[in-house]
Every structure is written in structure tokens, then in C-alpha cells.
Amino acid sequence: MQEIYNFLKDLKKNNNREWFHANKERYLEGKRMTEDFAQRLINVIASIEPEAAMLTPADCTYRIYRDTRFSLDKTPYKTHIGIFICPGGNKKSSRPGYYIHMEPGNSFIGGGCWCPPAPLLKEIRQSIYDNIEEYLEIIENPDFKQHYIKLGDNLLKTAPKGFPKDWEYIDLLKPRDYTVLAPVKDSLIASPKALDNILPYLKSLHPLNAFLNYIFEEHPELKGL
């Protein structure tokens, strides 16, 4: 995996098509390694969530080419690699999953539910409100807190519509993204023991993902999101 990081470091310094084409073989080898790593991650997560076994690396990995049509930054290539394992869905699904981010100096492990559509976001908040004791047990678990430093992002400034502003735990309903993030050293993922290193993060995230996934079981109409 260290070869992937070496390639990304060089790509950041030479983010242009001429350099990329001259180093196409390095990219293709890194792509092969990424897909192999994604498959091994799928296998590990399938031991926690069996639905993951239906996924392929193509369901979980992203193109390195940037869409520059609406961006001021016209550099053609991403300088990171992401792998999103979403049991019961795929990389485009709104369902919760497990994310591995490989970027020199900015690697992290994350997951949860990112950018949920409005109907799903409403049900997430309602589920937390209705099951606050269960939710607190998950997010206050020492193992969870040991691995993840942040829960929820893109916060509202006030209470979401339909919920009492004076509720004791109203801040837990303010995120627009119910995601978690754990910054890690590049060496944790680049290591030959990467899967062993990552597994504790995946296991500690599973209860939160299970809580969020239960919403889809209660509301089948959301499964297409």
C-alpha cells in the first residue's frame, strides 16, 4: 500500500495530464492494489454485516479523474483515494457505510450517513429523538469514543423544525450529516497489517451504522435512496 501513497505524493506535485500519462503504469498498478484492498475490506466487513458480501470493488471505489466543469480548480486528478463499503447499497447509496480515505498527510477512517436526502434525514432525527437512550449508549460507548473524535457535521444553528428547542439533547439533532471521522497516520493504512489496524475502527462503528440502518427496515420507502 505504500506504493499508492508514493504515487499520490508525486501526483500532487505533478497534477497534469502529461505527467499522468507518463506514469500510467504506476497508476494502473495502484488501481489494481486499491481494488485488491477493497475486496479484502469487503470480506472483513462481511464478517460483521453479511450483506457486504454482495459488493464488488467497483461498487466501492471511485474514479481518479476530477469533474472540473463547475470548479475553479482545474487540476485533472484527485490526489486521494477513497473506498466506501456500503452493505445493502453501493458508493452512491444514502445508506450508512464504512469509509477509508488514503491521502498523504490526511488519511482517515470514517463512516455513517453522509448527505442524506431530506426524508431520510428527518427519519434519522426522529429515530434519535424516539430512541435517545439507545443512541446515547452507542455514542457514549468508550470503545466508540476511543476511535472516533467527531460525530455529526454540517450543523444547523437552531433546532430542526418539528422538535422542541428546549430538549436536553437537541444538539444531537442538528447535524445534516450523521458521519464519524477518525484521523489516522498514513502508516496505519500503508502497513502490511492494514486490515488488522483498521478492523477495530470498523467494529466500533458497526453499532451506529446498525442504528441508522434500522430506519430503512422501518421505512421500506426509503430503500431506494
Side-chain angles (χ1 to χ4, degrees), residues 93-113:
S93 174
S94 297
R95 297 185 70 132
Y98 307 82
Y99 180 72
I100 310 299
H101 186 89
M102 292 179 278
E103 181 178 4
N106 187 38
S107 295
F108 62 86
I109 300 169
C113 194

Side-chain angles (χ1 to χ4, degrees), residues 55-63 78 82-99 112-117 120 216 222-225:
L55 296 169
T56 68
D59 296 321
C60 308
T61 53
Y62 301 86
R63 288 163 48 88
K78 301 171 186 174
I83 301 174
F84 182 54
I85 314 289
C86 180
N90 56 45
K91 62 191 174 189
K92 297 181 179 180
S93 174
S94 297
R95 297 185 70 132
Y98 307 82
Y99 180 72
C113 194
W114 180 73
C115 202
L120 176 56
F216 290 89
L222 298 177
K223 289 189 176 181
L225 296 177

Side-chain angles (χ1 to χ4, degrees), residues 33-106:
M33 293 177 65
T34 299
E35 291 171 349
D36 177 69
F37 186 50
Q39 184 60 62
R40 289 186 287 143
L41 280 168
I42 290 169
N43 296 342
V44 168
I45 292 172
S47 69
I48 305 170
E49 296 195 41
E51 277 189 300
M54 300 175 64
L55 296 169
T56 68
D59 296 321
C60 308
T61 53
Y62 301 86
R63 288 163 48 88
I64 198 168
Y65 307 98
R66 295 182 63 249
D67 184 351
T68 61
R69 290 174 297 173
F70 308 106
S71 175
L72 294 176
D73 179 2
K74 298 301 181 181
T75 51
Y77 307 105
K78 301 171 186 174
T79 54
H80 68 271
I81 290 175
I83 301 174
F84 182 54
I85 314 289
C86 180
N90 56 45
K91 62 191 174 189
K92 297 181 179 180
S93 174
S94 297
R95 297 185 70 132
Y98 307 82
Y99 180 72
I100 310 299
H101 186 89
M102 292 179 278
E103 181 178 4
N106 187 38

Side-chain angles (χ1 to χ4, degrees), residues 99 101 106-111 144 147-153 179-184 201 205:
Y99 180 72
H101 186 89
N106 187 38
S107 295
F108 62 86
I109 300 169
F144 180 85
H147 290 100
Y148 295 102
I149 61 172
K150 185 178 182 182
L151 169 59
D153 202 2
T179 54
V180 293
L181 176 67
V184 297
Y201 291 87
L205 175 55

